[in-house]
Amino acid sequence: MRYFWAAFFMFWPIVAIVFFAISPAMNWWFPGAGDPDSLTKGQSMTPLGVDIDNLFYLILIITSVVFVLTHIALGYVLFRGARDEGKKALFSHGSHALEVMWTIVPTGILIFISLYQLDVWRKFRVISSFPEAAVEAPVAEVTARQFEWRIRYPAPGKKLQLKPQPDDLYTVNDLHVPTNRPVMIQLRSEDVQHSFFAPHLRVKQDAVPGQVIPIWFEVTQAGHYPLTCAELCGWGHYKMKARIVAEPQSQFGKYLHDLQHEQNDDGVQDKKSDDAEDE
Amino acid sequence: MRVLQLLILTLVFAACLLGCNRPESTFVYNTKTEELTRDVGSVVKERLDGDFGSPKNSVAWLRMPIDYGTFKGEVVEVDKDASSVYQFRVAFGSNDDKETGDEEEDAETSPTPGEMNLAGLAIIWKSGDYEGGSQIDGGKRDGEKMATLQVAAWSKDEENDEEGVLSLRQKMDPPPSVGDTFEIVGHKLSFGRQLYAAHCQHCHGTSGDGAGPTAEYLNPRPRDYRPGKFKFQSTLKTNRPTDGDLQRIITKGIPGTYMPSFLLLEDDELDSIIQYVKWLSMRGEYEIKLVSQLYFDYEQVVFDEAVESALKDGLEEFEDGTRDEEPTKGSIRDELVATANADLPDIAEQESNVLADAWNKEKLESAVVVPLVARTPDTAESRARGRVLYVQNCSACHGATGRGDGEQVNAYMVNDQTREKYPVPGLFDDWGQSIKPRNLTRGIYRGGRRPVDLFRRVFEGINGTPMPPFKGKFNNDKKINDARTWDLVNYIYHIPFETRGKSAGDSATKHGRTAASTPSTR
Amino acid sequence: MSTINPASTPEALAHAVHGEAAHHEVGFVRKYLFSTDHKMIGVQFLITTLLMLMVGGALALCVRWQLAYPWDRMPIVGDLLFPQQGGQISPEFYTMLFTMHATVMIFLVIIPVLAGAFGNFCIPLMIGADDMAFPTLNMLSYWFMWPAIACFGLSFLEVFGGGPAAGWTSYPLLADLPQAAPGSGWSQNFWLLGVTFVGFSSMMGSINYLTTIINMRAPGMTLFRMPMTIWAMFITAILQAFALPVLTAAGFMQVGDRMFGTVFFIPSGIVVNNAAPTIGGGQPLLWQHLFWFYSHPAVYIMLLPAMGMVSDMLSTMCRKPLFGYKPMVYAIAAIAGLGFIVWGHHMFTSGMNPALGMTFMISTMMIALPSAIKTFNWIGTIWGGNIRFNTVFLNCVAFVSMFIVGGLSGIFMAAVPVDIYFHDTYFIVALFHYILFGSTLFGVFGAIVYWFPKMFGRMMNEKLGKLHFVLTFIGFNGTFFPMHMLGIGGMPRRYADPYLHPYLHHLQPMNQIMTWFAILMGVAQFILLANFFYSMFFGEKCGRNPWGANSLEWSAPSPPPHGNFDVPPVVYRGPYEFSSPLSGDKDFLPQTEPPPLANTEEDEPPDPDETA
């Protein structure tokens, strides 16, 4: 019976490891992994996102090794205890040498991880490290509200102003950005806290009412990416389903022109497209 | 182990209790329907339930101009020896009328029978012995083709999802013949209902009455579809909205309210929801119309009085000898109720025709408001003219500076239906909710921000609200009137950018500045 | 109780002492309801928290049902509250479910069961005192739980908005502005009031524990002879004392914002639900700083006592001294100390100054270290032991194993860029459930079985205990391990319907399986309740020291009378002298057993605790 318990405690870590190992193939991994139809196949679509993924995998390797080793140790002591039932226990109060060793080694590992990732954080969040190209031409202002994302583009050829301009272009739940170029958006909130979360781009930033927070990213592959909210904002928190459409610059420019045309629709400008729109 | 056995027993017992009460979602009847005297009210409800059904068992009333979603099919194999059958093999052909012939596009927009659960949907026979309906009960109503037999299950073939075995809820006696064609009706309604339940119901209510569980916390309240009034439509005020209007509201949302944008619904999901919402609206309006015809005479209190006086007359007649039997309260009631119920089919026929006509697609498309002239260029002169019109026509409600604080906000409005003044000052909409004139300084345009949208709001007003139509008000000549309307629209666009004095809310915070489009105003 | 009596027969001592202890009979109400006896208060806390555990668990099952079958009929709850919608719950109801699940579990279960139940019961007994320093305050600390329970209960009422819905984290502006959500009306006020009452209760407790531990230890009980349980309770009490006032202040500020027109957290110009724009000038992030300044130490409050108890239980069940006692003490102190400077790791994506992000990252990384040290020491304790594979031991090993998982997954979040992705996803949910449930709660289950004989003089049923353990363990891992995958897949927290988003669509089957494991886990807790209440009255009777343990409580009768010890204890050694060469035939050496007066066997005095 005691061997059963020792085995019981070893069984579940093995299941856990197997589960982790098959997850990418089963599409239980980063969005799109293991899904042959997916655009992203588990990869991040921004260079910073790739850095984040690499950091994740590094930590995953380290923690997996620790997990395996500690559970082997646990298994060993359990089986030994099962085997030596009835034998008098070791009268040991500890080992100074071991304490020192297993203080210093984890410290080293942790310091290594800390220092390794400082740079990625700086690139993502410190405004003075944002790419020039992104900062000087913000693409849009994204305002989160209960329960949608309202987007304001500057008119084609103009620069985004903090205050809305008469010729700004407005849309909802549909953020278009050009690919292969760092882009910046200004994130705001109209009411409560929300969070701009684009899983495939590995971007997340809380939208705080009363603040305008810049976010930058560079999308490497054209496509439609989900945008969703990651900070509880009320009963419709799950409903804030939006998309980021990354497209080549020329298509992006065309999109803005079409948006401008549609936004200036006076019902007469082209009867044909008006009929189609009324459908 | 005694304890363990007792525990398991208790848990199993508790688990059984769980399965006992299974509520079904139900439609709510209007308060006025509930106020009818019982016997008349129950017949009205029966009629309503028969014509529209319940949420889970909807009836596709073919008279109503709704695209219920159709699959056309043909019987390919029947058990020849059976005298009656519950199931037979079928093959589905080309699908509903939206097919454009372009394979790719069709594949995107129209679902196939293979993708759907057809249970509960109705079959209409198009050829063979059963054409035009069914000789089995549950079919015709007043000689009309209604939803007939119902599908119990559909199991498609593995290789070909357009062929398979169709099982019915009711027996077909005698069986259909090979080659008989039919249509399965209602997949959009059924799909629409599921989507509505997931996305819309908690605000708009199961019956589309705007009284779902979340509704009481929202300002403004969610739309109650039942009166058939929709605020932000492109058609004339007396008309219903087009499908395109509903689509615009759903995909763009209504800024400044809790109606969010559902931009990312698939096309077929959007279509199904629109049909379902129209269906709910028609149901609601049908109920209101039926009841309104009967309410005057058959409302409980009025009816009781009528019974009393009829009883008195009846007793007199009995004494005179002009009446054979002595009338009792019960018999008088029955007589009066029978009159109502005899009238009901005609009333229903008439009202449903009116309703069907109101929602007719072609009619709606021809009722779309289209400006006669293009938008006047947005110049300072145009805006100045617009300002003049604004002061003359709009400032009474919208205020001198556009903040929605005009003097009407402090006046007492009269309720159209009860003809009485509201107890508190201010404006009210047709649903009885307090409503404020739009604060135009915020730059939030609920019905859409395109110039044509603003034009329509001014031209036709906003259905169900005190915002009146201004067509013809600016000039007798229609074209000039439209040009003046454009001037007003140009001015309205300019209002958020007019320089005004600072107000308390325009303060700067440390990390950023609030945009000027959200000033603090009452 | 500071007179030192020479060792003699326990009976003689009992008679001598008998006259000293004021022997007063109390009525039913003073004995069972409004008792000032720490043991009764501890049992009261334990029973209350067990019941609250079922309430919190039921709320969790509702959450899991919605995630498995969104918008389908929810059994019982949907039937009762949403009949017109066919049993389909509303989205704001879902926000209330997870808010109250967390609130109940954190404030009404985990914190009270550790500090209130076991802290109260064990501290005086384990240090050799006859009661707490402030018995009446102790009683009040229990009874302040009931207004809290009443407030949380009232907050559920429909008339007040149907339940607080801003998450247990209660972030402004969702929680600050009454019109921002249905549950942010009066429900939220009741919630704040409830949290304040729980805070009072905890504060009273922590003052009591600190005073008792510092002042009332038996003679010979130096600080480094205290069992780990006491060290853990001591350090937890320090955490409570310093962190709680900040939460209370923040709570008052939020009440002020909501009811008295202050604007601590409210910026200007915000329009919610078409209400009047806010006047403002406040900063929403301030709440997060204040809240997490308490709530991060709170997670250590919810962990450290269990760590201490597990150390003691492992040592006893392996018949071995605790491996590295002093390092363990220093590690617990380090966790607590560092715990005060890591709160910002809950706010990496919040928009706070990025430089702060870096500092918090470093301190968070460092806090993994003492936890690792402790884990190695536990494994070291088991190593070479003469192990008893009983319920207590199994629960403790589960503690260690689950803690490894929870601790390691925390490292991902400590790395800030990775946290950008995982913040507010199910990865975090997995992490904290592995710590709070997988570690703490299994530790609590073990502690219940371990100290039950001392509380009630009877043993709990071993078979039922093991059955409960196996089912809970399987159910727990089946429910929470896949959450790591859900988080990696980018599934956000607090979503009533994640499958609305196509990229999450494929995760529904996994969620369904998790729900069924959760139901298994929920049902298994009834076994614990049955075992607990049945054994209280019908369990096998036991003596003073059924486990053969060393610490002081096992030298008192089971259950101990008012005043605890019939023989006033004197401490001669640390609590981990198992299998000592000095202990002779038996493999334990109680703290109170005096060392042999002479070297020869004949001169050894009789062992007062022979009946083990």
Side-chain angles (χ1 to χ4, degrees):
Chain A
M1 199 57 202
R2 55 198 194 281
Y3 282 107
F4 167 76
W5 293 117
F8 180 86
F9 283 112
M10 288 301 102
F11 174 68
W12 100 263
I14 295 174
V15 170
I17 291 172
V18 167
F19 198 62
F20 246 101
I22 65 174
S23 287
M26 300 288 290
N27 200 9
W28 298 334
W29 202 243
F30 286 110
D35 177 7
D37 297 328
S38 152
L39 185 62
T40 59
K41 300 203 176 37
Q43 303 296 315
S44 161
M45 294 288 106
T46 59
L48 261 187
V50 171
D51 286 342
I52 290 175
D53 284 0
N54 289 338
L55 189 58
F56 169 80
Y57 285 117
L58 170 70
I59 297 177
L60 183 64
I61 292 171
I62 295 175
T63 50
S64 302
V65 166
V66 173
F67 178 79
V68 167
L69 289 180
T70 44
H71 276 87
I72 289 177
L74 184 64
Y76 169 70
V77 299
L78 287 174
F79 273 104
R80 179 172 157 165
R83 184 197 70 194
D84 295 342
E85 197 196 25
K87 214 167 91 172
K88 192 159 184 189
L90 276 180
F91 186 64
S92 160
H93 282 94
S95 156
H96 191 68
L98 272 179
E99 299 287 345
V100 168
M101 195 263 295
W102 65 42
T103 304
I104 297 207
V105 171
T107 309
I109 295 175
L110 292 169
I111 291 181
F112 166 70
I113 301 177
S114 313
L115 297 177
Y116 187 81
Q117 47 99 353
L118 279 178
D119 198 47
V120 180
W121 175 238
R122 178 188 59 79
K123 280 194 284 194
F124 179 74
R125 232 10 356 239
V126 177
I127 298 183
S128 54
S129 299
F130 283 17
E132 272 293 318
V135 177
E136 61 189 32
V139 163
E141 177 192 81
V142 176
T143 303
R145 68 176 284 263
Q146 291 176 319
F147 295 105
E148 54 193 8
W149 301 92
R150 301 206 79 89
I151 295 150
R152 173 168 73 89
Y153 299 97
K158 293 207 176 157
K159 191 167 163 193
L160 181 72
Q161 303 292 325
L162 186 64
K163 288 191 179 183
Q165 301 299 308
D167 54 2
D168 279 340
L169 305 174
Y170 292 86
T171 179
V172 181
N173 282 348
D174 189 21
L175 174 65
H176 285 240
V177 296
T179 50
N180 292 311
R181 191 200 108 192
V183 299
M184 188 168 92
I185 60 164
Q186 301 279 18
L187 183 65
R188 305 182 56 186
S189 166
E190 211 174 279
D191 37 37
V192 300
Q193 285 190 8
H194 299 267
S195 186
F196 183 94
F197 179 38
H200 298 68
L201 310 179
R202 313 285 191 262
V203 170
K204 182 182 287 140
Q205 175 57 49
D206 285 7
V208 181
Q211 276 180 241
V212 184
I213 301 176
I215 310 174
W216 85 274
F217 50 92
E218 176 182 339
V219 187
T220 49
Q221 185 172 308
H224 292 212
Y225 301 106
L227 168 64
T228 180
C229 180
E231 182 60 58
L232 180 65
C233 49
W235 49 261
H237 174 50
Y238 69 99
K239 265 188 173 166
M240 292 181 60
K241 180 178 172 186
R243 68 174 173 220
I244 297 179
V245 177
E247 50 199 357
Q249 178 70 44
S250 54
Q251 268 181 276
F252 174 68
K254 179 171 181 305
Y255 167 76
L256 285 180
H257 272 101
D258 289 344
L259 188 61
Q260 188 175 47
H261 184 79
E262 197 217 316
Q263 196 166 289
N264 287 325
D265 181 9
D266 63 355
V268 171
Q269 63 184 5
D270 25 36
K271 262 317 213 120
K272 244 192 263 177
S273 57
D274 188 48
D275 284 349
E277 270 167 13
D278 269 350
E279 216 66 292
Chain B
M1 248 252 80
R2 261 208 315 275
V3 173
L4 198 55
Q5 287 163 356
L6 197 60
L7 180 66
I8 292 175
L9 218 66
T10 323
L11 287 178
V12 167
F13 179 66
C16 291
L17 278 182
L18 294 189
C20 279
N21 179 21
R22 288 183 153 260
E24 285 291 329
S25 62
T26 54
F27 286 133
V28 170
Y29 298 107
N30 280 357
T31 36
K32 284 217 158 126
T33 314
E34 304 286 6
E35 284 169 13
L36 288 177
T37 187
R38 191 173 22 94
D39 299 318
V40 175
S42 62
V43 174
V44 168
K45 288 181 191 173
E46 229 179 84
R47 179 130 211 136
L48 191 61
D49 291 344
D51 289 338
F52 283 91
S54 68
K56 281 245 162 99
N57 289 308
S58 336
V59 171
W61 193 355
L62 300 175
R63 176 179 297 181
M64 295 299 159
I66 290 180
D67 176 10
Y68 291 111
T70 324
F71 290 126
K72 298 192 169 97
E74 180 180 338
V75 179
V76 295
E77 200 184 302
V78 176
D79 181 358
K80 292 201 179 64
D81 303 321
S83 58
S84 66
V85 291
Y86 274 105
Q87 62 187 46
F88 40 87
R89 273 191 76 79
V90 301
F92 285 101
S94 63
N95 290 335
D96 56 11
D97 317 305
K98 281 252 166 93
E99 279 192 7
T100 60
D102 178 343
E103 249 188 60
E104 243 187 61
E105 204 183 291
D106 288 341
E108 267 182 36
T109 55
S110 35
T112 59
E115 296 164 7
M116 307 233 76
N117 170 16
L118 303 179
L121 301 183
I123 298 186
I124 314 257
W125 290 94
K126 290 296 191 190
S127 70
D129 292 331
Y130 288 98
E131 184 189 346
S134 144
Q135 272 110 26
I136 301 169
D137 70 306
K140 298 185 185 190
R141 158 85 55 85
D142 301 329
E144 182 189 341
K145 302 180 180 74
M146 298 287 282
T148 57
L149 301 167
Q150 281 184 313
V151 178
W154 151 243
S155 56
K156 61 181 202 283
D157 287 349
E158 284 209 7
E159 320 81 47
N160 177 4
D161 55 346
E162 300 207 330
E163 272 197 37
V165 175
L166 202 65
S167 312
L168 301 181
R169 284 188 183 165
Q170 300 98 356
K171 218 167 27 164
M172 287 192 78
D173 180 5
S177 321
V178 172
D180 282 356
T181 54
F182 60 86
E183 282 180 358
I184 292 194
V185 174
H187 72 82
K188 279 194 184 168
L189 203 62
S190 158
F191 190 37
R193 190 202 77 79
Q194 281 172 37
L195 293 166
Y196 183 86
H199 294 295
C200 325
Q201 182 172 287
H202 70 96
C203 288
H204 286 282
T206 333
S207 326
D209 57 0
T214 316
E216 58 184 300
Y217 305 107
L218 307 181
N219 176 19
R221 298 286 295 258
R223 179 68 49 244
D224 174 357
Y225 308 130
R226 296 173 304 171
K229 285 191 185 153
F230 292 83
K231 276 169 136 183
F232 305 116
Q233 56 193 36
S234 61
T235 49
L236 297 167
K237 215 171 179 185
T238 45
N239 289 108
R240 304 286 175 280
T242 61
D243 279 7
D245 291 335
L246 294 173
Q247 181 181 326
R248 227 190 323 274
I249 294 293
I250 295 177
T251 50
K252 299 209 148 104
I254 301 181
T257 70
Y258 272 117
M259 173 65 189
S261 152
F262 289 93
L263 183 73
L264 298 183
L265 284 173
E266 302 292 328
D267 286 338
D268 62 331
E269 292 179 325
L270 191 55
D271 192 24
S272 302
I273 291 181
I274 290 173
Q275 302 309 316
Y276 190 75
V277 167
K278 279 166 54 178
W279 186 78
L280 279 180
S281 172
M282 288 182 200
R283 180 191 170 281
E285 208 176 340
Y286 182 60
E287 182 186 358
I288 291 176
K289 284 181 182 324
L290 284 183
V291 170
S292 70
Q293 296 281 347
L294 297 167
Y295 192 76
F296 196 61
D297 294 320
Y298 295 98
E299 188 263 328
Q300 188 64 58
V301 173
V302 170
F303 184 70
D304 286 342
E305 289 171 10
V307 166
E308 288 295 332
S309 77
L311 184 61
K312 238 173 55 179
D313 293 340
L315 286 171
E316 282 174 18
E317 285 170 9
F318 182 62
E319 267 156 38
D320 290 347
T322 43
R323 202 181 238 269
D324 293 329
E325 281 179 34
E326 182 177 3
T328 60
K329 212 174 188 180
S331 69
I332 293 288
R333 274 189 68 87
D334 290 344
E335 277 174 32
L336 292 177
V337 165
T339 319
N341 295 340
D343 288 339
L344 192 57
D346 289 332
I347 295 175
E349 178 79 14
Q350 187 190 352
E351 295 300 349
S352 58
N353 280 329
V354 168
L355 192 57
D357 183 58
W359 280 97
N360 177 280
K361 248 195 173 162
E362 284 77 37
K363 179 173 173 173
L364 289 179
E365 264 149 42
S366 65
V368 170
V369 171
V370 178
L372 292 173
V373 298
R375 178 183 176 190
T376 323
D378 186 15
T379 59
E381 295 81 33
S382 172
R383 284 186 231 137
R385 289 194 296 270
R387 166 85 188 158
V388 171
L389 288 171
Y390 177 86
V391 170
Q392 289 167 349
N393 297 287
C394 318
S395 56
C397 291
H398 287 281
T401 51
R403 291 195 172 160
D405 52 359
E407 59 219 22
Q408 286 300 317
V409 169
N410 297 318
Y412 284 87
M413 196 173 137
V414 174
N415 184 331
D416 271 342
Q417 285 162 16
T418 65
R419 308 289 155 89
E420 286 171 12
K421 274 194 182 169
Y422 283 99
V424 294
L427 299 175
F428 287 82
D429 62 23
D430 286 3
W431 293 272
Q433 300 294 323
S434 160
I435 189 174
K436 292 198 175 73
R438 184 65 49 239
N439 177 346
L440 298 166
T441 62
R442 295 192 66 199
I444 294 178
Y445 306 109
R446 290 191 183 176
R449 67 181 313 130
R450 302 174 304 172
V452 67
D453 294 320
L454 263 70
F455 182 95
R456 285 171 178 153
R457 298 294 94 73
V458 174
F459 191 84
E460 264 307 293
I462 300 179
N463 217 349
T465 69
M467 172 71 188
F470 284 96
K471 59 184 170 190
K473 290 272 174 67
F474 304 142
N475 198 290
N476 287 331
D477 182 299
K478 284 193 176 160
K479 281 202 168 161
I480 300 181
N481 183 77
D482 282 4
R484 293 285 88 80
T485 312
W486 282 126
D487 289 332
L488 181 57
V489 167
N490 286 337
Y491 176 66
I492 292 172
Y493 273 127
H494 181 66
I495 293 178
F497 300 100
E498 284 181 322
T499 48
R500 292 181 304 283
K502 264 202 158 176
S503 57
D506 290 348
S507 54
T509 64
K510 193 171 160 211
H511 296 282
R513 290 179 287 281
T514 58
S517 62
T518 55
S520 101
T521 60
R522 279 221 64 92
Chain C
M1 292 285 212
S2 52
T3 51
I4 299 178
N5 288 311
S8 58
T9 62
E11 291 75 12
L13 277 169
H15 280 297
V17 163
H18 208 59
E20 277 192 40
H23 188 60
H24 44 263
E25 281 295 330
V26 288
F28 179 86
V29 170
R30 286 301 305 280
K31 187 171 182 192
Y32 289 107
L33 287 184
F34 294 104
S35 168
T36 55
D37 185 323
H38 74 99
K39 303 182 288 298
M40 183 55 65
I41 295 172
V43 170
Q44 285 175 323
F45 264 112
L46 184 58
I47 294 179
T48 309
T49 53
L50 279 177
L51 294 176
M52 289 295 121
L53 178 69
M54 304 309 281
V55 170
L59 290 165
L61 285 182
C62 292
V63 169
R64 283 258 36 107
W65 189 271
Q66 169 70 10
L67 284 173
Y69 308 108
W71 314 125
D72 275 0
R73 163 188 168 247
M74 186 178 281
I76 309 173
V77 173
D79 296 345
L80 284 174
L81 298 174
F82 298 96
Q84 215 231 328
Q85 282 78 27
Q88 172 188 318
I89 64 166
S90 63
E92 65 273 12
F93 186 75
Y94 183 78
T95 57
M96 181 277 287
L97 283 174
F98 61 70
T99 302
M100 292 315 290
H101 163 67
T103 306
V104 166
M105 286 303 202
I106 290 172
F107 294 115
L108 298 181
V109 179
I110 301 282
I111 293 181
V113 80
L114 290 174
F118 289 103
N120 258 314
F121 188 84
C122 297
I123 292 177
L125 281 171
M126 287 174 112
I127 62 172
D130 57 352
D131 206 318
M132 286 284 188
F134 307 115
T136 310
L137 192 67
N138 206 10
M139 176 189 77
L140 284 177
S141 99
Y142 173 71
W143 281 100
F144 262 96
M145 293 296 291
W146 283 100
I149 294 174
C151 282
F152 290 136
L154 277 176
S155 75
F156 278 101
L157 291 182
E158 197 52 45
V159 66
F160 296 126
W168 84 280
T169 47
S170 186
Y171 278 9
L173 295 172
L174 187 61
D176 243 36
L177 297 176
Q179 63 271 25
S184 291
W186 266 94
S187 302
Q188 182 69 14
N189 290 337
F190 278 117
W191 186 88
L192 288 165
L193 201 55
V195 170
T196 311
F197 280 125
V198 169
F200 287 159
S201 167
S202 295
M203 203 64 194
M204 291 177 198
S206 84
I207 294 170
N208 232 333
Y209 306 157
L210 287 172
T211 316
T212 309
I213 292 172
I214 292 175
N215 283 319
M216 291 175 65
R217 282 169 281 130
M221 174 72 81
T222 62
L223 282 179
F224 281 102
R225 281 181 181 172
M226 294 199 305
M228 281 305 296
T229 305
I230 303 299
W231 269 113
M233 297 291 178
F234 179 61
I235 290 175
T236 304
I238 297 176
L239 275 176
Q240 290 263 48
F242 284 100
L244 202 47
V246 179
L247 179 71
T248 316
F252 286 156
M253 287 158 82
Q254 195 173 93
V255 170
D257 275 7
R258 294 169 51 78
M259 295 175 78
F260 303 123
T262 60
V263 284
F264 291 108
F265 309 122
I266 307 179
S268 62
I270 302 293
V271 176
V272 176
N273 205 0
N274 284 313
T278 56
I279 308 297
Q283 166 61 278
L285 288 183
L286 178 60
W287 164 270
Q288 290 185 289
H289 282 290
L290 295 173
F291 178 84
W292 287 114
F293 186 85
Y294 166 74
S295 298
H296 194 83
V299 314
Y300 296 117
I301 291 167
M302 294 190 274
L303 178 63
L304 264 42
M307 285 178 158
M309 295 193 294
V310 162
S311 302
D312 285 350
M313 291 188 280
L314 273 179
S315 180
T316 306
M317 294 310 162
C318 297
R319 321 308 292 155
K320 258 196 77 190
L322 185 67
F323 197 92
Y325 171 66
K326 275 202 179 165
M328 287 290 245
V329 174
Y330 294 139
I332 271 198
I335 293 177
L338 283 171
F340 273 108
I341 57 171
V342 294
W343 80 88
H345 66 227
H346 300 271
M347 299 169 59
F348 283 142
T349 61
S350 67
M352 69 176 178
N353 189 329
L356 281 179
M358 302 209 192
T359 57
F360 282 119
M361 180 274 297
I362 294 178
S363 50
T364 307
M365 281 289 180
M366 294 329 294
I367 210 169
L369 179 64
S371 312
I373 293 174
K374 291 187 78 68
T375 310
F376 301 140
N377 277 301
W378 285 317
I379 297 179
T381 307
I382 305 176
W383 166 63
N386 176 7
I387 303 177
R388 297 178 182 168
F389 285 88
N390 55 21
T391 307
V392 176
F393 180 72
L394 295 177
N395 277 297
C396 293
V397 175
F399 177 102
V400 176
S401 180
M402 307 289 103
F403 184 68
I404 293 174
V405 175
L408 289 175
S409 56
I411 296 182
F412 290 92
M413 265 65 79
V416 191
V418 181
D419 184 63
I420 291 172
Y421 184 70
F422 285 131
H423 175 72
D424 232 85
T425 63
Y426 263 79
F427 202 86
I428 310 273
V429 181
L431 160 69
F432 64 69
H433 279 99
Y434 263 89
I435 302 286
L436 293 177
F437 190 140
S439 304
T440 301
L441 208 53
F442 276 108
V444 167
F445 292 151
I448 291 177
V449 179
Y450 185 65
W451 273 292
F452 188 92
K454 186 54 58 184
M455 289 178 185
F456 302 108
R458 297 173 184 272
M459 303 292 286
M460 283 179 81
N461 183 289
E462 190 51 31
K463 284 206 180 67
L464 283 183
K466 288 198 169 106
L467 179 64
H468 165 258
F469 167 73
V470 170
L471 292 179
T472 306
F473 189 84
I474 293 174
F476 169 79
N477 279 298
T479 307
F480 293 105
F481 198 79
M483 283 189 186
H484 292 106
M485 278 64 196
L486 293 181
I488 294 174
M491 176 166 156
R493 289 171 71 173
R494 300 168 162 175
Y495 267 29
D497 182 8
Y499 320 112
L500 198 61
H501 303 265
Y503 82 98
L504 297 174
H505 209 83
H506 64 287
L507 295 172
Q508 188 170 3
M510 188 187 275
N511 271 293
Q512 288 171 342
I513 297 176
M514 287 158 64
T515 297
W516 287 103
F517 273 109
I519 293 175
L520 169 69
M521 186 169 60
V523 169
Q525 303 320 304
F526 285 104
I527 299 179
L528 174 69
L529 287 183
N531 194 359
F532 187 86
F533 288 106
Y534 181 81
S535 306
M536 207 193 284
F537 301 104
F538 304 112
E540 180 196 325
K541 282 205 179 178
C542 67
R544 290 173 188 238
N545 194 355
W547 307 113
N550 286 339
S551 38
L552 291 186
E553 75 271 27
W554 304 105
S555 67
S558 303
H562 192 57
N564 290 346
F565 295 96
D566 45 4
V567 179
V570 177
V571 174
Y572 297 101
R573 61 187 66 78
Y576 298 116
E577 300 306 299
F578 290 98
S579 306
S580 160
L582 296 176
S583 56
D585 289 338
K586 55 188 204 299
D587 61 357
F588 65 101
L589 190 55
Q591 288 186 280
T592 52
E593 181 168 315
L597 296 172
N599 281 328
T600 59
E601 271 186 8
E602 296 90 322
D603 286 343
E604 262 184 13
D607 187 344
D609 265 353
E610 206 153 46
T611 54

